Amino acid sequence: MNRDVIVVGAGIVGCAIAYELARRGASVEIVDERHPVGMGATQASAGVLAPYIEARDGNPLLDLGVRSLDLFDDFMTRVSSDSGIAVSYRRTGTIDVAVDESEMRALRTTADVLARRGVAARMLDRAGASAEEPHLAGDVIGALVIDAHGFVGAGDLTRALSVAARRHGAQLIEQSRVRRIVRTGAELIVETDRGSLNGTAVVLAAGSWSGTIDIEGVAARMPVRPVRGQLMHLTWSGPPLKRVTWSRRCYLVPWDDGSLLVGATVEDAGFDERATVAGVRDLLEAACDVVPQARTAGFRAARVGLRPGTSDDLPVIGPSSVVQGLVYATGHYRNGVLLAPLTAQLVADAMLDNRIDPMLEKVSPARFGL
Ligand SMILES: Cc1cc2nc3c(=O)[nH]c(=O)nc-3n(C[C@H](O)[C@H](O)[C@H](O)COP(=O)(O)OP(=O)(O)OC[C@H]3O[C@@H](n4cnc5c(N)ncnc54)[C@H](O)[C@@H]3O)c2cc1C
């Protein structure tokens, strides 16, 4: 079915949805207050695709992440072909390290969960961990390797999604701030500081700022809050780390171009998008503690993003239970890159084919009265 859809927010979530809707034949406008696309939380993301880290049975986030990870190979092939842009994407796995017995116990618990699910994972002792990743510090006493994990260039992927969406006819409107969404008759009006847009449906994908947009007729408070994350961009020399290296205090992501990302802080700092001395110091110390050679790395930049967190740590995805034609896709917190392909699929299925995936029940806006 053809629909006029306005997507509010051109982060990775909004761009993935706009692309999916446009490719399936909908007429789409994407509106964002920043320029270029992906300048919210997405530009700071490490792009790690790792749903099984600290996996525990019964957590809906695990099921969402695993389903989305399964979509990634095809998603990347399609987006690269539709956009003509090559995006870095590796499935080289993760090595999750332990430095004491309690961390080892947590890794064993995760390994048991993965064994029950038939997911390939290997527990390593001290010698095994050091053979697997020679850069690890001497106090690492064991590790868990999960082969299915990987990472992707989140900024490039978002650009590619916006180009692919436009090639399928979507229009991108930048530097326009959405202030209010109002229903009038069969249409939804999106009021921006540069005029109004109207369509039969609106997708709200404005990340941490989703709650700052006034929606007429919705009394409930949007449960999304900004959770600041700082991430260091370093230049690495010598043989790179083999895969994403994860510890309780930081993670390190080795890129093909010789750079290394070190993330990430988790801070309650309102809408403050500044890097701080404490954030930079803590992350660099943590990185050097787990991989001592990080001391010789060059410092390129500190990136900062506001993750859209919710009170139950689950995203808010699906049709509004209050305003007809309004669909939410926000609150992806620490996993928006991982969850982008699945979010786009679930939203497009619901909007274009009226297919409500059972998984949407867990992340429904109705649980917050939205
Ligand atoms: C340091 C850090 C590391 C991370 N690492 C990972 C990782 O390894 N793996 C992973 O999966 N996730 C990771 N994340 C989380 C991930 O980045 C986010 O979940 C994801 O980027 C959210 O995407 P989004 O499109 O919902 O929001 P955003 O990227 O924030 O996009 C929202 C967009 O909406 C626009 N907007 C807001 N208000 C308005 C308005 N009123 N009018 C118009 N436009 C508006 C903004 O300008 C912005 O472009 C990380 C996040 C951080 C900060």
Side-chain angles (χ1 to χ4, degrees):
M1 183 168 68
N2 244 334
R3 303 197 63 169
D4 294 315
V5 184
I6 300 159
V7 178
V8 179
I12 192 157
V13 173
C15 287
I17 291 168
Y19 165 60
E20 189 63 21
L21 291 170
R23 142 186 128 75
R24 295 204 207 169
S27 127
V28 179
E29 282 175 316
I30 324 168
V31 57
D32 199 290
E33 65 175 320
R34 300 188 179 189
H35 164 83
V37 299
M39 291 308 286
T42 300
Q43 51 73 37
S45 175
V48 176
L49 310 171
Y52 295 117
I53 294 276
E54 294 170 13
R56 296 295 175 266
D57 288 322
N59 180 355
L61 199 53
L62 173 60
D63 297 328
L64 286 166
V66 170
R67 253 182 83 178
S68 204
L69 184 66
D70 285 346
L71 298 175
F72 247 94
D73 283 352
D74 288 347
F75 179 73
M76 294 305 296
T77 306
R78 207 167 47 236
V79 176
S80 294
S81 140
D82 282 359
S83 64
I85 295 172
V87 178
S88 293
Y89 168 59
R90 295 283 174 272
R91 292 288 285 273
T92 39
T94 50
I95 182 165
D96 190 351
V97 305
V99 294
D100 60 33
E101 259 318 309
S102 90
E103 291 185 4
M104 274 305 267
R105 275 195 300 279
L107 292 185
R108 280 190 208 103
T109 305
T110 304
D112 290 344
V113 173
L114 300 189
R116 282 197 292 279
R117 288 177 157 249
V119 176
R122 286 172 285 140
M123 275 301 294
L124 304 173
D125 61 10
R126 183 190 294 270
S130 138
E132 187 71 32
E133 179 48 78
H135 286 301
L136 291 178
D139 61 354
V140 168
I141 62 167
L144 176 65
V145 172
I146 305 174
D147 295 312
H149 286 160
F151 58 97
V152 66
D156 286 345
L157 176 55
T158 307
R159 273 187 290 285
L161 285 164
S162 77
V163 168
R166 274 179 285 163
R167 286 190 174 179
H168 283 287
Q171 281 184 33
L172 175 64
I173 302 164
E174 293 177 299
Q175 292 168 311
S176 285
R177 182 185 185 141
V178 172
R179 299 197 178 279
R180 213 160 83 102
I181 300 170
V182 185
R183 168 159 278 290
T184 53
E187 289 204 316
L188 284 162
I189 314 286
V190 173
E191 296 174 2
T192 81
D193 54 6
R194 292 172 57 188
S196 293
L197 307 166
N198 50 330
T200 50
V202 171
V203 180
L204 183 55
S208 287
W209 299 270
S210 298
T212 66
I213 297 168
D214 186 27
I215 304 169
E216 198 183 67
V218 177
R221 239 186 113 250
M222 168 66 80
V224 176
R225 67 181 196 289
V227 181
R228 185 167 70 187
Q230 304 187 42
L231 182 107
M232 304 303 126
H233 189 180
L234 310 181
T235 50
W236 183 264
S237 46
L241 293 171
K242 289 188 187 154
R243 45 171 64 90
V244 174
T245 302
W246 201 280
S247 81
R248 299 286 71 77
R249 291 166 59 209
C250 71
Y251 54 79
L252 301 93
V253 188
W255 289 86
D256 294 348
D257 66 358
S259 66
L260 183 78
L261 294 180
V262 178
T265 63
V266 178
E267 303 166 77
D268 183 359
F271 286 95
D272 182 351
E273 291 176 87
R274 287 174 311 142
T276 63
V277 171
V280 174
R281 183 201 59 192
D282 291 353
L283 280 173
L284 295 182
E285 260 177 29
C288 294
D289 286 351
V290 69
V291 172
Q293 204 190 312
R295 289 181 187 285
T296 64
F299 187 83
R300 200 182 276 184
R303 299 186 198 162
V304 185
L306 302 178
R307 308 175 186 91
T310 61
S311 48
D312 59 9
D313 288 347
L314 291 175
V316 182
I317 306 171
S320 164
S321 60
V322 182
V323 179
Q324 204 201 334
L326 176 64
V327 175
Y328 291 90
T330 184
H332 289 71
Y333 190 38
R334 303 183 75 171
N335 288 293
V337 179
L338 170 65
L339 297 179
L342 180 65
T343 303
Q345 188 186 82
L346 297 178
V347 166
D349 285 351
M351 292 181 78
L352 303 182
D353 302 333
N354 214 12
R355 242 183 317 140
I356 304 294
D357 190 286
M359 207 166 238
L360 284 178
E361 205 184 307
K362 301 267 185 230
V363 293
S364 157
R367 75 190 194 278
F368 294 118
L370 298 171

